[in-house]
Amino acid sequence: MAIILVRAASPGLSAADSISHQGTLQCSTLLKTKRPAARRWMPCSLLGLHPWEAGRPSPAVYSSLAVNPAGEAVVSSEQKVYDVVLKQAALLKRQLRTPVLDARPQDMDMPRNGLKEAYDRCGEICEEYAKTFYLGTMLMTEERRRAIWAIYVWCRRTDELVDGPNANYITPTALDRWEKRLEDLFAGRPYDMLDAALSDTISKFPIDIQPFRDMIEGMRSDLRKTRYNNFDELYMYCYYVAGTVGLMSVPVMGIATESKATTESVYSAALALGIANQLTNILRDVGEDARRGRIYLPQDELAQAGLSDEDIFKGVVTNRWRNFMKRQIKRARMFFEEAERGVTELSQASRWPVWASLLLYRQILDEIEANDYNNFTKRAYVGTHGSGCGSLCPSVA
């Protein structure tokens, strides 16, 4: 079992303050002070509460380490992802100071009206598969909404490689080719019309390739992995397949000029919404995933609840299952709460599609509860149309 240690980055947090928060933590007996001026470590178990619940509202305050059974400190998934957040925020701040020049895709002989057609097609795909989200984008400026459509379409095409009709024929080599195609796209060498829309978008906004590469890595995970030992592993998966979308989208959505929030905190909130959406997907689709031989639930937490894979495959709602689900839903809501704090920091015209994603997905958790936690044979639906975008909602908050 790994123990998570949460480092208090604020120099004003005393050992007494740390102890006062420990009542909410799972492993509450560990408090380490190396020397008077050293950083202090507070424990937080991956099996229950997120480090943000340790008394601070923002993930930007913390970095986390895991201690393996041998007593060696290893970087947790959360810290690895937060390092990406810091890189994206730094890139945005740097490029906002030096505006991006308008550079059209190089190797695709496409007239201006051809790019318009490419963006229009992206909009049609977004409208078809994510109606509510699409309507929200219509409140954005034309340039921003077209860019979001292009990002959405690339994410959808990537997701369909492993979840679409040809998923059984997809190999790691095919994903390698898709990543090479992504690199060409970022170099201004798109393969087709839809690629050209995204290539044009990244020439206009300070968008980095890393979250796109990470999403492809998430697709690789789906090819080789059907179980997750703990929440640390699941968190990384959720980042790969959904949190990345938020990081892709922040530069397009824009931060409100009147916002006092740091760029890092806006990216962190975007990440939180992606994680929340994906955790909600997982909880909604337990039965469906089980029928495909997949269990996207932390194995150690299942064991602690007295549950096993066999219980998932049987699909019987018991008190043990209800208690387990209550804990999982609480965690997902915590991420939604963190995301919600960032919505008002976005450019005003960009907020509605984000609110649509957040509110609709959060209601799915309510529906799971209303179904008495039966997510084996009942699928939680919200409204008549839903958002339609799943984890592919540009999860910016």
Side-chain angles (χ1 to χ4, degrees):
M1 168 185 168
I3 297 175
I4 288 300
L5 300 176
V6 183
R7 186 178 70 212
S10 169
L13 184 60
S14 68
D17 293 329
S18 301
I19 294 171
S20 69
H21 294 310
Q22 289 182 354
T24 64
L25 302 176
Q26 292 295 314
C27 5
S28 60
T29 59
L30 179 62
L31 177 63
K32 177 179 179 181
T33 304
K34 296 180 180 178
R35 53 185 177 270
R39 294 186 178 97
R40 285 168 286 276
W41 299 92
M42 293 186 300
C44 185
S45 171
L46 281 175
L47 303 180
L49 303 178
H50 190 278
W52 311 347
E53 289 190 75
R56 295 280 181 172
S58 171
V61 175
Y62 296 104
S63 63
S64 48
L65 295 174
V67 178
N68 66 19
E72 301 166 329
V74 294
V75 180
S76 72
S77 292
E78 185 180 4
Q79 180 59 38
K80 291 175 184 176
V81 172
Y82 190 60
D83 289 343
V84 178
V85 167
L86 292 177
K87 178 186 174 185
Q88 302 307 304
L91 178 70
L92 178 60
K93 288 187 286 189
R94 184 169 66 250
Q95 295 201 14
L96 286 179
R97 289 194 294 266
T98 307
V100 181
L101 298 177
D102 183 4
R104 296 171 62 208
Q106 301 169 9
D107 292 353
M108 200 164 186
D109 186 14
M110 179 177 287
R112 287 289 181 183
N113 64 336
L115 269 177
K116 181 181 182 304
E117 290 177 9
Y119 278 117
D120 287 347
R121 179 58 188 142
C122 289
E124 290 169 1
I125 294 170
C126 186
E127 182 180 17
E128 179 180 357
Y129 292 100
K131 181 71 172 179
T132 303
F133 180 80
Y134 170 81
L135 293 174
T137 66
M138 297 306 289
L139 298 176
M140 302 170 68
T141 64
E142 181 180 9
E143 187 175 51
R144 290 183 192 276
R145 70 169 170 263
R146 295 199 318 171
I148 288 296
W149 294 343
I151 291 171
Y152 172 86
V153 167
W154 185 88
C155 292
R156 184 164 194 89
R157 295 171 89 185
T158 302
D159 183 68
E160 287 189 344
L161 291 174
V162 296
D163 275 340
N166 297 315
N168 291 336
Y169 304 101
I170 294 298
T171 64
T173 302
L175 291 176
D176 291 343
R177 288 197 297 268
W178 186 249
E179 185 166 5
K180 175 60 170 64
R181 177 168 167 167
L182 170 70
E183 292 167 356
D184 287 343
L185 183 161
F186 265 78
R189 299 188 297 272
Y191 281 50
D192 61 18
M193 174 188 290
L194 300 179
D195 280 358
L198 182 56
S199 190
D200 184 64
T201 288
I202 62 178
S203 76
K204 292 180 166 64
F205 296 92
I207 298 172
D208 185 39
I209 195 172
Q210 187 63 50
F212 294 82
R213 283 182 171 142
D214 287 345
M215 176 172 276
I216 295 173
E217 187 60 32
M219 303 305 115
R220 292 190 180 101
S221 295
D222 272 332
L223 291 184
R224 63 175 182 255
K225 196 174 178 72
T226 60
R227 301 291 188 278
Y228 292 83
N229 291 325
N230 49 48
F231 185 69
D232 188 65
E233 290 186 8
L234 187 62
Y235 179 91
M236 183 60 81
Y237 173 75
C238 290
Y239 160 70
Y240 281 148
V241 300
T244 49
V245 189
L247 304 191
M248 297 172 193
S249 305
V250 167
V252 175
M253 293 284 189
I255 300 174
T257 55
E258 68 275 13
S259 173
K260 304 299 183 184
T262 65
T263 305
E264 292 82 1
S265 68
V266 175
Y267 269 101
S268 292
L271 170 66
L273 183 53
I275 300 293
N277 281 354
Q278 186 59 26
L279 289 175
T280 301
N281 278 338
I282 288 169
L283 298 181
R284 180 194 62 194
D285 298 338
V286 167
E288 180 181 325
D289 289 333
R291 287 186 284 276
R292 298 190 301 159
R294 296 180 175 274
I295 298 177
Y296 293 96
L297 298 168
Q299 290 287 307
D300 57 354
E301 296 182 34
L302 282 169
Q304 280 201 338
L307 297 165
S308 65
D309 289 359
E310 194 60 35
D311 293 309
I312 306 298
F313 294 134
K314 287 179 180 177
V316 177
V317 177
T318 63
N319 284 334
R320 286 182 178 179
W321 178 251
R322 291 184 184 95
N323 290 333
F324 173 79
M325 281 300 302
K326 288 175 184 178
R327 193 179 185 89
Q328 304 305 308
I329 289 173
K330 178 181 179 181
R331 173 188 281 146
R333 283 183 173 140
M334 181 192 62
F335 281 102
F336 277 123
E337 288 168 6
E338 178 62 31
E340 187 173 3
R341 285 192 281 269
V343 176
T344 54
E345 308 302 337
L346 290 175
S347 172
Q348 188 169 1
S350 300
R351 293 172 192 171
W352 170 244
V354 181
W355 277 120
S357 171
L358 192 154
L359 296 175
L360 286 165
Y361 261 71
R362 192 158 56 185
Q363 287 177 46
I364 291 174
L365 299 176
D366 299 335
E367 289 301 307
I368 294 173
E369 291 173 330
N371 289 338
D372 193 27
Y373 306 99
N374 182 3
N375 43 7
F376 298 119
T377 59
K378 292 183 179 180
R379 200 169 194 267
Y381 289 101
V382 176
T384 55
H385 300 290
S387 67
C389 55
S391 64
L392 303 183
C393 283
S395 305
V396 185

